[in-house]
């Protein structure tokens, strides 16, 4: 799969994120656009409200797919999980397909314990979203 990136980077205390406008070819060879938000650091009590304010702006996007890349998230607690659930619901209301990619072993363990792995569409890589409906 071929991807093109346009990057915007923001830092907020214990976490940072990059907004990437990407495209990849689907199985039929058609270019599909999607937005990826790569989050790094800790999604916890101190960062939850700051992150939510910023993601509200990010959700106003041009494509119908949002991938939240958690590869570099080292910690997540209930506030971080609540944030992800809220973003998932916002996307559903706007007919935007919501995906989570690159969960590390710690985050995946939290998703499994809370059974959020059955709610979120989890991907190994963000580009997989082009072949998911």
């Amino acid at each position: 799969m071929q991807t093109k990136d346009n990057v915007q980077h923001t830092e907020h205390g214990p976490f940072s994120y990059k907004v990437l406008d990407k495209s990849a070819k689907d199985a039929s060879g058609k270019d599909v656009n999607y937005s990826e938000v790569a989050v790094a650091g800790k999604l916890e009590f101190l960062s939850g409200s700051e992150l939510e304010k910023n993601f509200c702006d990010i959700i106003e996007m041009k494509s119908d797919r949002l991938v939240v890349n958690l590869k570099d998230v080292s910690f997540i607690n209930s506030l971080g999980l609540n944030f992800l659930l809220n973003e998932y619901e916002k996307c559903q209301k706007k007919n935007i397909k919501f995906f989570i990619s690159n969960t590390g072993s710690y985050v995946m363990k939290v998703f499994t314990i809370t059974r959020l792995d059955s709610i979120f569409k989890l991907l190994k890589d963000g580009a997989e979203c082009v072949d998911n409906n």
Side-chain angles (χ1 to χ4, degrees), residues 94-110:
K94 295 180 179 185
N95 293 321
I96 296 171
K97 297 172 183 114
F98 183 89
F99 303 93
I100 293 180
S101 72
N102 297 306
T103 57
S105 60
Y106 171 78
V107 173
M108 191 61 208
K109 189 176 199 177
V110 172

Side-chain angles (χ1 to χ4, degrees), residues 4-12 16-22 35-40 53-62:
K4 293 188 281 185
D5 299 349
N6 177 20
V7 181
Q8 170 189 345
H9 183 77
T10 307
E11 291 190 34
H12 291 279
S16 63
Y17 65 87
K18 291 187 285 189
V19 180
L20 303 105
D21 294 321
K22 293 188 165 193
S35 296
E36 182 173 287
V37 180
V39 182
K53 279 189 261 181
N54 290 297
F55 269 51
C56 288
D57 295 332
I58 293 167
I59 294 298
E60 300 299 327
M61 53 190 213
K62 296 177 180 113

Side-chain angles (χ1 to χ4, degrees), residues 22 34 36 67 69 99 101-102 123-130:
K22 293 188 165 193
Y34 64 99
E36 182 173 287
V67 177
N69 183 332
F99 303 93
S101 72
N102 297 306
L123 308 174
K124 291 180 185 175
D125 179 79
E128 291 178 20
C129 77
V130 301

Side-chain angles (χ1 to χ4, degrees), residues 59-105:
I59 294 298
E60 300 299 327
M61 53 190 213
K62 296 177 180 113
S63 74
D64 68 342
R65 297 162 199 261
L66 175 67
V67 177
V68 179
N69 183 332
L70 300 180
K71 177 183 174 191
D72 295 318
V73 170
S74 59
F75 179 81
I76 189 167
N77 67 8
S78 60
L79 222 155
L81 295 173
N82 188 53
F83 161 73
L84 291 173
L85 283 167
N86 286 336
E87 292 304 314
Y88 172 79
E89 289 175 3
K90 288 177 195 174
C91 284
Q92 281 192 317
K93 289 178 184 173
K94 295 180 179 185
N95 293 321
I96 296 171
K97 297 172 183 114
F98 183 89
F99 303 93
I100 293 180
S101 72
N102 297 306
T103 57
S105 60

Side-chain angles (χ1 to χ4, degrees), residues 101-120:
S101 72
N102 297 306
T103 57
S105 60
Y106 171 78
V107 173
M108 191 61 208
K109 189 176 199 177
V110 172
F111 282 179
T112 302
I113 290 168
T114 59
R115 298 187 181 177
L116 290 174
D117 59 338
S118 65
I119 293 174
F120 297 131

